[in-house]
Amino acid sequence: MKSITTIFCVFFTAIILQAQQVTVTGIVTDETNTPLTGVNILIKNSSKGTQTDFDGAYQLKASIGDELEFNYVGYKTVTRKVKNNKAINVQMNPGAELEEVVMMYDAAAEKKVILRGMVSTSQLSPPPYPTNNQVSDNESYAKIEENIFKSVVTAPLSTFSIDVDKAGYSNIRRMINNGQKIPKDAVKIEEMINYFNYNYPQPNKNEPFSILTEVANSPWNSGTKLVKIGLKGKDIATEHTPASNLVFLLDVSGSMNSENKLGLLKSAMGVLVDKLREEDRVSIVVYAGAAGTVLEPTSGANKDKIMEAIDKLRAGGSTAGGEGIKLAYKIAEENFIKNGNNRVILATDGDFNVGASSDRAMEDLIEEKRKSGVFLTCLGFGMGNYKDSKMETLADKGNGNHAYIDTMQEAKKVLGTEFFGTIYTIAKDVKLQVEFNPKKVQAYRLIGYENRLLNDEDFNDDTKDAGELGSGHTVTALYEIIPVGVDSKYLKDIDDLKYTNTTNTSKNSNELLTVKFRYKNPDEDTSHLIVKSLNDETRNIQNTSTDFQFSAAVALFGQQLRDSKFIETQNREKVIQLAEAGRGDDNEGYRAEFIRLVKSYK
């Protein structure tokens, strides 16, 4: 009897140990011991998993006995068994072929299907998402028509709104890390460039931003030049920031039911909550088939109460995004802080399908709500059905900004490191207008910003909406120009003008261009003007600042992804060469990460 009891004890002890939950941590590196970012770590026979951060580190909960699969595009899959709570460090080696077979649940067919290719953790949750070289039909991007070269004779002015959104880069990073084909319309070059911080000087005491300009020979076309225009928003010290009235508007519909959506959303909001002060107030509105309030205005000092409300959220139902937006703005207006920071923070995949849901309906709704003086931040989550076009519309029309959260690393960047830039606006309706000197410039093209172009007359019209600049944000715009006297295949002939005098009488013969900036203070309706000229002091790109060289590298890679007709090289080595030269003081490591992405993209 005793021996039988002993056997049963050993048996049940083994079962208990097998089911024991532990927190598994570790570092994943390549064959040279360089940390790998975005490695997919899957618990076999489960939909659970995670990804490595920039330092190659990961953390996830698993049971003793579970097997972990480490997948990374272009590398052989590694399997490790969880034996205890000790760190599991993994070194991955390049593989010639991607041969992993992954079981995936097809919710529509109610069965498991076998897919060929390397997929990410998030792709194991219903609904099924695309694998290698597939682009989901359910992801939505606004169409982009690449800017062309314009003649200075017929179009001497170029006018556009600034764009501080960074979603385009993190979204592309997600696709590259998952081995997916990148849709051309997902490539927003200005958002790729502006994802990175640049070492621009602090502004003068009474101005909200500083201005920096440079010119160099183009690194991708012979005979053309590249002009950089950079802005740097004023850094606001914590003790000088006004109290915040924040409304978290969180999507808990069925489309958010996966770890890389609602699960990541909860963790990301925790990063933001950690930054709140006692004088800040937070309300939480959720929406699925309908909208409702789950947290009345609460002091930022009561972090446990705020996080308790967030942790209780569960996903299910349809998506009445319009109703959620109306309720969130209503609460923000009811608790409006005069001279404070009043903002709705929307976290969603953008998949609205009940009530007002089209891009146009969302645009009309947000344009009406922005008159209240409440700003908007849009945080995008998920893949497979991500509605980038809707998120961009909301942010652009709602006096706001847009970020895509693909990992906790990105959440910590947007809501932690760059917290004040994300939620504190220092200048609104910021517009740029560039006038080119026809004695120096035949033609020009603005690289990116296709969805931010304005009519020339909009520049002086204070009723026209434009982009917002946050505390400490940097904004960069690049123009490629064709100098006078240079023959170019990109320049199309136009007939001489009969009635317009095109003779240049300017005395400023060495000026290449003049750039004008208009902006409003956050609580004002009348704009202010700043004017700056750039002389033709052209240098080779390698003799310019590291910021100029790096932004040029990002722009070239973006044009390559878009298969641009305006570049002479598709060579990735040129991008890497420029980026390496422009790496500079890369304290956070984001420029090094970009270089690794370029090297890994096929």
Side-chain angles (χ1 to χ4, degrees), residues 214-334:
E214 289 186 90
V215 59
N217 292 319
S218 170
W220 53 74
N221 280 325
S222 57
T224 66
K225 297 181 180 182
L226 196 63
V227 172
K228 185 196 75 175
I229 301 171
L231 306 181
K232 164 73 174 180
K234 178 171 57 180
D235 285 315
I236 301 178
T238 305
E239 59 270 20
H240 296 145
T241 54
S244 291
N245 161 38
L246 304 178
V247 180
F248 296 171
L249 176 55
L250 309 181
D251 183 351
V252 293
S253 63
S255 67
M256 293 289 289
N257 189 23
S258 66
E259 279 302 308
N260 80 312
K261 292 188 179 183
L262 186 57
L264 181 57
L265 183 158
K266 291 179 181 181
S267 300
M269 298 311 290
V271 175
L272 192 156
V273 170
D274 282 343
K275 292 286 184 178
L276 298 176
R277 304 161 301 174
E278 183 177 0
E279 60 266 35
D280 300 326
R281 294 289 181 270
V282 170
S283 309
I284 300 179
V285 172
V286 298
Y287 65 91
T293 304
V294 298
L295 183 71
E296 297 295 336
T298 301
S299 168
N302 202 342
K303 293 177 172 53
D304 289 342
K305 183 178 180 180
I306 298 171
M307 286 309 303
E308 182 181 3
I310 293 173
D311 289 338
K312 287 181 178 178
L313 299 179
R314 299 292 182 269
S318 52
T319 316
E323 291 304 310
I325 289 171
K326 291 176 184 177
L327 180 57
Y329 272 88
K330 178 176 180 291
I331 292 175
E333 291 170 33
E334 289 174 350

Side-chain angles (χ1 to χ4, degrees), residues 156-422:
L157 298 177
S158 172
T159 309
F160 65 100
S161 161
I162 69 162
D163 185 359
V164 296
D165 296 344
K166 303 181 179 185
Y169 177 77
S170 50
N171 190 31
I172 286 172
R173 178 180 62 198
R174 178 259 298 185
M175 295 179 187
I176 293 176
N177 282 332
N178 289 344
Q180 292 175 233
K181 182 179 178 181
I182 299 175
K184 286 185 180 181
D185 290 332
V187 181
K188 290 176 275 191
I189 296 174
E190 72 280 6
E191 294 188 15
M192 294 177 66
I193 294 171
N194 288 326
Y195 179 86
F196 301 93
N197 290 323
Y198 299 100
N199 189 31
Y200 299 158
Q202 281 291 328
N204 295 329
K205 187 174 182 180
N206 297 322
E207 295 181 345
F209 53 82
S210 63
I211 303 164
L212 185 72
T213 55
E214 289 186 90
V215 59
N217 292 319
S218 170
W220 53 74
N221 280 325
S222 57
T224 66
K225 297 181 180 182
L226 196 63
V227 172
K228 185 196 75 175
I229 301 171
L231 306 181
K232 164 73 174 180
K234 178 171 57 180
D235 285 315
I236 301 178
T238 305
E239 59 270 20
H240 296 145
T241 54
S244 291
N245 161 38
L246 304 178
V247 180
F248 296 171
L249 176 55
L250 309 181
D251 183 351
V252 293
S253 63
S255 67
M256 293 289 289
N257 189 23
S258 66
E259 279 302 308
N260 80 312
K261 292 188 179 183
L262 186 57
L264 181 57
L265 183 158
K266 291 179 181 181
S267 300
M269 298 311 290
V271 175
L272 192 156
V273 170
D274 282 343
K275 292 286 184 178
L276 298 176
R277 304 161 301 174
E278 183 177 0
E279 60 266 35
D280 300 326
R281 294 289 181 270
V282 170
S283 309
I284 300 179
V285 172
V286 298
Y287 65 91
T293 304
V294 298
L295 183 71
E296 297 295 336
T298 301
S299 168
N302 202 342
K303 293 177 172 53
D304 289 342
K305 183 178 180 180
I306 298 171
M307 286 309 303
E308 182 181 3
I310 293 173
D311 289 338
K312 287 181 178 178
L313 299 179
R314 299 292 182 269
S318 52
T319 316
E323 291 304 310
I325 289 171
K326 291 176 184 177
L327 180 57
Y329 272 88
K330 178 176 180 291
I331 292 175
E333 291 170 33
E334 289 174 350
N335 297 278
F336 194 88
I337 300 175
K338 188 176 181 180
N339 298 322
N341 177 42
N342 300 279
R343 184 174 294 266
V344 171
I345 298 177
L346 169 62
T348 177
D349 59 8
D351 192 9
F352 305 158
N353 54 33
V354 173
S357 60
S358 68
D359 287 3
R360 181 65 195 182
M362 289 291 101
E363 182 175 335
D364 292 342
L365 176 60
I366 288 297
E367 284 183 338
E368 174 193 341
K369 294 300 180 184
R370 77 170 181 230
K371 298 173 185 176
S372 64
V374 176
F375 290 79
L376 176 68
T377 290
C378 294
L379 304 177
F381 291 83
M383 63 181 72
N385 67 327
Y386 180 60
K387 307 303 181 188
D388 179 86
S389 60
K390 196 170 273 86
M391 299 292 283
E392 183 177 29
T393 296
L394 290 170
D396 289 354
K397 301 301 179 181
N399 280 350
N401 46 49
H402 172 206
Y404 177 77
I405 310 294
D406 57 336
T407 61
M408 273 304 294
Q409 171 193 330
E410 186 65 13
K412 290 174 181 176
K413 179 179 187 289
V414 173
L415 301 175
T417 308
E418 299 176 357
F419 172 75
F420 289 111
T422 300

Side-chain angles (χ1 to χ4, degrees), residues 13 88 94 202 343 348 551 571:
T13 300
I88 299 179
Q202 281 291 328
R343 184 174 294 266
T348 177
S551 61
N571 189 348

Side-chain angles (χ1 to χ4, degrees), residues 303-574:
K303 293 177 172 53
D304 289 342
K305 183 178 180 180
I306 298 171
M307 286 309 303
E308 182 181 3
I310 293 173
D311 289 338
K312 287 181 178 178
L313 299 179
R314 299 292 182 269
S318 52
T319 316
E323 291 304 310
I325 289 171
K326 291 176 184 177
L327 180 57
Y329 272 88
K330 178 176 180 291
I331 292 175
E333 291 170 33
E334 289 174 350
N335 297 278
F336 194 88
I337 300 175
K338 188 176 181 180
N339 298 322
N341 177 42
N342 300 279
R343 184 174 294 266
V344 171
I345 298 177
L346 169 62
T348 177
D349 59 8
D351 192 9
F352 305 158
N353 54 33
V354 173
S357 60
S358 68
D359 287 3
R360 181 65 195 182
M362 289 291 101
E363 182 175 335
D364 292 342
L365 176 60
I366 288 297
E367 284 183 338
E368 174 193 341
K369 294 300 180 184
R370 77 170 181 230
K371 298 173 185 176
S372 64
V374 176
F375 290 79
L376 176 68
T377 290
C378 294
L379 304 177
F381 291 83
M383 63 181 72
N385 67 327
Y386 180 60
K387 307 303 181 188
D388 179 86
S389 60
K390 196 170 273 86
M391 299 292 283
E392 183 177 29
T393 296
L394 290 170
D396 289 354
K397 301 301 179 181
N399 280 350
N401 46 49
H402 172 206
Y404 177 77
I405 310 294
D406 57 336
T407 61
M408 273 304 294
Q409 171 193 330
E410 186 65 13
K412 290 174 181 176
K413 179 179 187 289
V414 173
L415 301 175
T417 308
E418 299 176 357
F419 172 75
F420 289 111
T422 300
I423 74 165
Y424 288 99
T425 297
I426 60 171
K428 68 179 183 180
D429 294 338
V430 183
K431 309 169 191 174
L432 277 75
Q433 186 169 80
V434 181
E435 181 181 1
F436 294 91
N437 182 356
K439 278 191 174 180
K440 288 285 186 178
V441 182
Q442 281 191 87
Y444 63 87
R445 71 179 181 105
L446 176 60
I447 299 173
Y449 293 92
E450 285 87 356
N451 294 335
R452 294 293 188 135
L453 300 180
L454 297 172
N455 296 323
D456 292 338
E457 56 268 26
D458 292 342
F459 183 73
N460 291 324
D461 185 349
D462 282 350
T463 67
K464 293 296 183 181
D465 182 56
E468 279 61 53
L469 187 67
S471 169
H473 271 168
T474 57
V475 178
T476 301
L478 298 177
Y479 279 95
E480 186 173 15
I481 61 174
I482 301 174
V484 168
V486 173
D487 291 329
S488 173
K489 62 183 178 182
Y490 304 125
L491 188 58
K492 306 301 181 183
D493 290 332
I494 58 173
D495 293 336
D496 291 336
L497 299 178
K498 183 176 180 181
Y499 302 107
T500 302
N501 181 6
T502 59
T503 303
N504 182 8
T505 59
S506 171
K507 296 178 181 179
N508 302 310
S509 58
N510 195 45
E511 286 184 0
L512 200 62
L513 57 86
T514 295
V515 56
K516 296 185 288 186
F517 304 82
R518 280 203 178 275
Y519 71 93
K520 300 173 190 171
N521 292 320
D523 56 350
E524 294 179 353
D525 296 322
T526 302
S527 66
H528 304 269
L529 176 66
I530 301 175
V531 180
K532 183 178 178 67
S533 297
L534 173 64
N535 288 329
D536 187 8
E537 298 172 351
T538 306
R539 294 177 288 174
N540 289 325
I541 189 76
Q542 57 266 34
N543 295 327
T544 62
S545 67
T546 55
D547 287 337
F548 196 176
Q549 294 179 70
F550 188 80
S551 61
V554 178
L556 177 55
F557 185 51
Q559 290 174 98
Q560 290 177 348
L561 293 178
R562 286 193 57 79
D563 195 22
S564 171
K565 61 183 178 182
F566 296 116
I567 56 175
E568 293 177 351
T569 177
Q570 286 288 339
N571 189 348
R572 296 281 190 271
E573 287 302 319
K574 183 64 177 178

